[in-house]
Structures are given as structure tokens and as C-alpha cells.
Amino acid sequence: MQIKGNTVLITGAGRGLGAAMARRFAELGADLALVDLDAAGLDAVAQSCRALGRRAETYRAQISATFDRVVADFGRLDCMIANAGILRDGLLVKVKDGAVVGKLPLAQWQAVIDVNLTGVFLCGREAAERMIKLGNPGCIINISSLSRAGNFGQSNYSAAKAGVSALTVVWSKELARYHIRVNAIAPGFIKTEMVASMKPEILEKMAAGIPVQRLGEPSEIAETAAFIVQTDYVNGRVLEIDGGQRL
Ligand SMILES: NC(=O)c1ccc[n+]([C@@H]2O[C@H](COP(=O)([O-])OP(=O)(O)OC[C@H]3O[C@@H](n4cnc5c(N)ncnc54)[C@H](O)[C@@H]3O)[C@@H](O)[C@H]2O)c1
């Protein structure tokens, strides 16, 4: 599928990977529907896309209403990138000096499942419905994570990201008949605000454990998303972009 002239909806586009993907797709000639909770970040990213000569609109409404408005505004929806995500790390059971001092609270589990798994489900469902109704080919990209393999301290996040990988395969099978391809990207540790919020000593340790000895750049994920959109035989796959790291 060509990118030029197509409409790409990106969630979590106010900063980080979403912002990098928005700018790269604008460079490649896409019009952008940008979704985030952070109005200031969203406006700044939209401005930078417009500066590249493309149309960029921002949305902060509830998911189904946002998809309705995007289709009304642009008259089309070619790609949807479900990128919004949060971290709320915590050990399943916390033990100090041999005594249990805490457990992962249900609310902490649920917050991550709501945004990182249920959010992806709702966005995928709404995007597929609109694409089928519009009758044009579509491309859905879900953002999973290296943590889908099971990362220490990330019960909630790992479970959600593993779920996102599974949804990707299910949808690729269900939606191919409507000419909608579905893929995911599982990034390793990429230099965004999300990763910067981790403790410096943990970050250092992480970089040392990556075969290429560095964190990834947001541009490397943006380029992967562009490759997926432009390459019509890529379907039902989770592309691992992690410098060779294995958990
Ligand atoms: N950065 C990494 O190393 C890395 C690695 C693997 C996977 N990922 C995944 O990539 C995606 C983007 O990560 P990032 O590093 O850019 O994160 P980030 O925290 O820098 O940006 C995430 C954006 O999503 C927005 N957001 C959060 N909840 C939202 C909601 N309910 N609705 C709309 N927007 C919402 C935030 O406001 C923020 O602008 C996430 O799904 C994350 O899990 C990131």
C-alpha cells in the first residue's frame, strides 16, 4: 500500500514512538489523525506534520466517536497504528527480609490491561469496521513489546503485550478477506520518554545487555511501520526490532 495521500490514524501520538511515526508518515506524504490524552503534545506533533505540508487533525474523544470523526473529517481511513501504552511496573509479590510486604494491586494490573490491551482491541475493532464499510484496503499495526516474552516486574505489561501479539495474528486471519493486513511491532528498549522514566542504573544495565550495545531510536520504529505499510505481503507478523535482545 502506498503511503502518499493516505490517511493514517495513530494513537499515543503526542510524544515518543507515536510522534516519531506521525512525523515519518507526514514526510512520506500521509495525512494524519493524531490521538492522545495530552493536548499540548498532540498540538506540537500536529504542527510539525503540517509544517511538512500534510493535513493533521487531533482527537481526544472516546474511541468510537474519534473513529467516526476521523472518517467524517478525512473521508477515508487507510492505516491505524495502535500505539498508546502505559507502564505501571510492580512485582507480583514483594518480599523484604523474608516477609511478604506487598502484592501487585488489582488496580495497577487493570490500568495497564485497560490501556495496553483493551485499548488495542477497541481501536482494532473500530478501525476494521470503518475500513470494511469504506471498502478500501487497510493496514493495522499494533505496538507490542519485547516484554511480551515475560519481563521481570511487568506482569501487567507483559500480559497485555503478549495479548496484543495474539490479537494481531487473529485479526490478520479474520480480516485478510477484506484486504486489511494486520501486523505488530515488538520494540526492544527505545529512547523515548517512557524509557527515560526508568532508573538510570537500570537503563545502563539494559544497554549493556543488548547485543548492539545501545538503545533503539524512535526513527527505527517509525521506519519499520513505514516498511509494513508499503510491503503488501507482510501480514500476521510481529516484527521484533530490539537490537537482537532476548529476555
Ligand atoms: N519506548 C520503548 O522502549 C518501548 C518498548 C516496547 C514497546 N513500547 C510501546 O510503544 C508504545 C509507545 O511507547 P512510548 O515509549 O512512545 O511511550 P510514551 O510514554 O513516550 O508515549 C505514550 C503516549 O501515549 C499516550 N497515551 C497513554 N495512554 C493513552 C490513552 N489511554 N489514550 C490515548 N493516548 C494515551 C501518552 O499520553 C503518551 O503521549 C507503547 O505502547 C509502549 O508500550 C515502547
Side-chain angles (χ1 to χ4, degrees), residues 27 65 77 81 89 113 122 144 161 208 232:
E27 279 172 3
L77 176 62
I81 305 180
D89 292 356
I113 297 296
L122 291 172
S144 178
K161 294 301 188 181
D232 289 330

Side-chain angles (χ1 to χ4, degrees), residues 198-244:
M198 296 168 95
K199 289 181 187 150
E201 58 269 27
I202 295 181
L203 277 180
E204 245 171 62
K205 242 188 181 174
M206 272 168 180
I210 300 169
V212 300
Q213 296 282 297
R214 66 169 177 86
L215 302 187
E217 297 293 335
S219 62
E220 293 172 309
I221 302 305
E223 215 50 59
T224 305
F227 161 76
I228 290 172
V229 174
Q230 289 168 321
T231 313
D232 289 330
Y233 206 54
V234 181
N235 189 39
R237 295 294 162 193
V238 181
L239 277 72
E240 299 175 321
I241 309 297
D242 50 25

Side-chain angles (χ1 to χ4, degrees), residues 87-95 100-113 153-159:
L87 282 174
R88 298 284 184 276
D89 292 356
L91 294 173
L92 182 67
V93 179
K94 223 174 173 175
V95 180
V100 173
V101 293
K103 293 190 282 189
L104 184 68
L106 179 59
Q108 197 170 329
W109 161 268
Q110 198 61 53
V112 172
I113 297 296
Q154 291 191 321
S155 292
N156 46 11
Y157 189 81
S158 296

Side-chain angles (χ1 to χ4, degrees), residues 11-19 35-38 82-87 115-116 143-147 157 161 185-195:
T11 72
R15 66 177 202 181
L17 299 185
V35 183
D36 205 295
L37 302 173
D38 169 18
N83 164 77
I86 59 169
L87 282 174
V115 176
N116 295 15
I143 304 299
S144 178
S145 167
L146 172 68
S147 296
Y157 189 81
K161 294 301 188 181
I185 302 172
F189 289 98
I190 314 295
K191 263 190 240 158
T192 67
E193 291 88 337
M194 178 185 263
V195 166

